[in-house]
Amino acid sequence: MTTRSQPGARAASAPLLGHATEPTIFEMSVPGRSAFQLRSTGVPPLSLEDLVPEHHRNGHAIDIAEVSERDLVGHFTRLSHRQFSVDLGMYPLGSCTMKYNPKFCDAVAADPGLNSVHPGAPAELTQGWLELLVSLEEKLCVITGMAEATLQPAAGAAGELTGLLLMRAYHSAQGDARRRVLIPDSAHGTNPASVTLGGYEVTTIPSTSEGLVDLVALKAALGPDVAGIMLTNPNTVGLFEEDILEIAESVHDVGGLLYYDGANLNAILGVVRPGDMGFDIVHMNLHKTFATPHGGGGPGAGPVAVSKRLVEFLPGPKATRLANGTFDWVRPARSIGRVHGWHGNAMVLARALSYIDVHGADGLERVAKHAVLNANWLRHRLRDTLPAAYDRTCMHECVLTATPLKTRFGVRGLDVAKALLEEGFHSPTVYFPLIVDEAMMFEPTETESVQTMEALAEAIERIAQRAIDDPQSLHRAPQTTPVSRVDEARAARHLIATEDAAQRMSL
Ligand SMILES: *Cc1c(COP(=O)(O)O)cnc(C)c1O
């Protein structure tokens, strides 16, 4: 076997944080080195020629790194220390609900009784798994106030597309082709993208100066060609849409459906239910609200719960409790089909059920109330440094603005966010929602203590002082992290997703 590795390959030098450079795994490769050794058994080993017939071999050398287990573990452990994570510190990335995830939920998902089961195993051998899925579905329906749910969608955006396909199936079944879906201008970018993928056109509804849906504009946009509306409540500026009942009635009056983007469910757990607000379709981001480490593209789960009239269209097959008390896979009568190769990201589903069960109804309500309390504490604490975009009580996140720092010292929200990394905090979400100038959206979540939030506030005050004393230093921040300020647009415009990217971009 030959690889690109050279004798005398680069060794990782300093097992330190900060600026120590880490070679790629290919640069560490030494021909013939391996992370495993098979002990001799006395049985003559089979050669490649014995195992794979000539006509199945492609004859090319394969491009893999050859490293010892020691070097392999060292490499990935060092890389993991160059990352920020929810286990390391506060991660107030608004809208993403980067709460600390209890290790208990990981322990449940690590149970070999759960994770060694093949998803294609027959129902009679996997009754426990089916019961788990049915139990999760039932509890999510209680939490959201809906009739039934699918657990298949792999993330929030996949749930949105599923919801729009359900909307389309519902209207087609009435012989009623509709064209448009309404979305407020504060919405998450996935909403319009999902509407387009679902074959509909977007009509944008403006927000009022209060940060809420403009009811007059909404009513003016309604008509018989409206398939539905997508709403987040609390919305993406962290405010509760107080007119939700009137919005629901107006949309239903023209025959449209209401879609609930449940990314902000953490704010209302056990307090209000989307079903009671009049929503017909609800997606949940289990990885946000119900404890799965996410970020970096890790697995998510975006179950979609629906009201009674949409149940027959749900994706299938679906784990179902039969009349005799056993469980089986059942395809709903007019199912839109599968939206996942199997049954959904099962380990995220297992974690979510364990999180719900270990909290109980009162525990979930405390999650929401503490999340809202923390966001309001932070909004109030920071009012002289980063004023709120909308000066009123918020829900689980607060949208602040760096406009005063920009106007007076030329320091932007991006500079503050980058400087926060030097202070040991993850950045908040910046420049979202788009309707707020220099938006900085903080979501402390319920898992942070008042001491941690005070430390964050003090860090932001130090950065504000630097804006007065040395604004140039903020434009260069961060300087003390393993990676300093990057050109964020370049990677997206010139995507080179291979290990030799740096070389090819002649960095
Ligand atoms: C995160 C988020 C989504 C998309 O969810 P994913 O799980 O990331 O696909 C949609 N809407 C809002 C408001 C969000 O915060």
Side-chain angles (χ1 to χ4, degrees):
M1 188 192 306
T2 61
T3 74
R4 68 178 64 195
S5 63
Q6 302 300 318
R10 279 179 70 189
S13 48
L16 296 172
L17 306 183
H19 288 289
T21 54
E22 181 67 25
T24 66
I25 195 93
F26 286 97
E27 290 171 315
M28 294 171 69
S29 180
V30 175
R33 207 167 263 179
S34 153
F36 65 90
Q37 273 178 359
L38 298 182
R39 108 189 144 87
S40 69
T41 58
V43 178
L46 288 170
S47 67
L48 182 67
E49 285 70 26
D50 299 326
L51 289 167
V52 185
E54 174 77 45
H55 61 280
H56 282 315
R57 284 179 247 146
N58 72 9
H60 304 154
I62 51 170
D63 206 9
I64 57 170
E66 295 179 84
V67 291
S68 67
E69 176 175 330
R70 200 270 157 274
D71 288 348
L72 185 72
V73 170
H75 175 68
F76 286 109
T77 304
R78 282 188 302 276
L79 284 181
S80 75
H81 285 223
R82 293 155 64 94
Q83 281 287 358
F84 195 88
S85 71
V86 283
D87 281 357
L88 210 54
M90 186 176 183
Y91 206 131
L93 192 69
S95 209
C96 295
T97 313
M98 303 299 285
K99 58 167 92 177
Y100 171 76
N101 304 130
K103 294 291 166 254
F104 170 76
C105 304
D106 286 343
V108 169
D111 186 328
L114 289 179
N115 65 29
S116 63
V117 177
H118 192 280
E124 58 269 28
L125 298 181
T126 52
Q127 288 289 297
W129 249 118
L130 272 83
E131 182 172 7
L132 186 155
L133 298 176
V134 167
S135 172
L136 176 63
E137 181 191 340
E138 288 170 352
K139 285 169 187 175
L140 294 177
C141 287
V142 170
I143 290 168
T144 52
M146 308 303 286
E148 282 189 35
T150 171
L151 305 176
Q152 283 188 17
E160 290 176 30
L161 178 59
T162 305
L164 284 148
L165 295 176
L166 289 168
M167 204 181 265
R168 176 169 281 284
Y170 170 80
H171 288 304
S172 314
Q174 327 272 312
D176 184 7
R178 291 176 176 236
R179 215 163 44 81
R180 291 186 298 134
V181 174
L182 313 185
I183 302 184
D185 59 1
S186 61
H188 195 266
T190 49
N191 291 185
S194 301
V195 166
T196 307
L197 273 177
Y200 287 117
E201 282 166 36
V202 176
T203 299
T204 306
I205 307 297
S207 302
T208 63
S209 56
E210 306 270 80
L212 301 176
V213 169
D214 184 334
L215 209 56
V216 177
L218 170 81
K219 287 184 178 170
L222 284 173
D225 63 336
V226 168
I229 185 170
M230 292 184 89
L231 275 184
T232 310
N233 197 17
N235 65 21
T236 53
V237 296
L239 303 178
F240 194 82
E241 295 285 356
E242 291 159 1
D243 294 325
I244 186 59
L245 293 180
E246 195 175 341
I247 294 173
E249 197 181 318
S250 314
V251 175
H252 284 153
D253 278 350
V254 298
L257 297 176
L258 275 87
Y259 181 98
Y260 183 87
D261 175 336
N264 293 341
L265 191 66
N266 209 51
I268 62 164
L269 284 175
V271 182
V272 283
R273 307 190 306 169
D276 299 333
M277 299 180 209
F279 285 95
D280 304 282
I281 308 170
V282 176
H283 92 244
M284 287 149 274
N285 304 64
L286 299 189
H287 44 294
K288 293 180 180 175
T289 313
F290 300 107
T292 283
H294 62 295
V304 172
V306 296
S307 57
K308 267 212 178 62
R309 55 182 163 160
L310 291 161
V311 162
E312 59 180 341
F313 302 106
L314 280 173
K318 198 168 155 293
T320 306
R321 190 193 304 273
L322 304 180
N324 66 5
T326 63
F327 300 89
D328 203 356
W329 296 108
V330 176
R331 194 183 154 94
R334 303 163 88 175
S335 174
I336 60 168
R338 282 187 173 283
V339 295
H340 189 277
W342 291 106
H343 316 302
N345 283 337
M347 292 310 155
V348 182
L349 304 176
R351 279 187 178 86
L353 182 62
S354 71
Y355 184 85
I356 292 170
D357 281 349
V358 86
H359 277 81
D362 56 334
L364 291 180
E365 186 178 332
R366 264 201 314 278
V367 163
K369 288 182 171 172
H370 286 186
V372 171
L373 178 64
N374 278 1
N376 280 289
W377 187 95
L378 199 60
R379 178 181 61 84
H380 193 258
R381 176 67 181 75
L382 290 173
R383 67 195 180 285
D384 297 329
T385 328
L386 298 171
Y390 303 96
D391 189 18
R392 48 182 290 178
T393 304
C394 62
M395 296 292 287
H396 65 307
E397 58 197 0
C398 53
V399 180
L400 313 182
T401 170
T403 304
L405 290 177
K406 184 174 70 175
T407 323
R408 293 173 62 201
F409 312 111
V411 166
R412 305 184 59 212
L414 181 71
D415 300 325
V416 178
K418 296 293 186 191
L420 263 179
L421 300 173
E422 293 177 338
E423 295 274 358
F425 292 95
H426 196 279
S427 306
T429 295
V430 291
Y431 302 106
F432 173 77
L434 304 174
I435 56 173
V436 173
D437 184 56
E438 295 297 327
M440 304 196 75
M441 180 199 250
F442 289 88
E443 181 180 6
T445 83
E446 72 283 1
T447 57
E448 298 310 320
S449 69
V450 70
Q451 286 78 13
T452 304
M453 291 196 298
E454 175 61 28
L456 171 73
E458 286 168 14
I460 291 171
E461 283 167 353
R462 277 192 294 278
I463 293 166
Q465 188 60 43
R466 270 173 77 186
I468 301 170
D469 300 340
D470 184 8
Q472 285 308 320
S473 77
L474 290 174
H475 301 318
R476 290 189 302 269
Q479 293 289 316
T480 58
T481 47
V483 176
S484 56
R485 181 83 64 116
V486 292
D487 180 340
E488 295 179 356
R490 190 167 170 203
R493 293 196 183 128
H494 307 281
L495 182 66
I496 307 174
T498 60
E499 51 87 16
D500 57 349
Q503 206 184 335
R504 288 174 52 195
M505 290 178 82
S506 53
L507 291 178

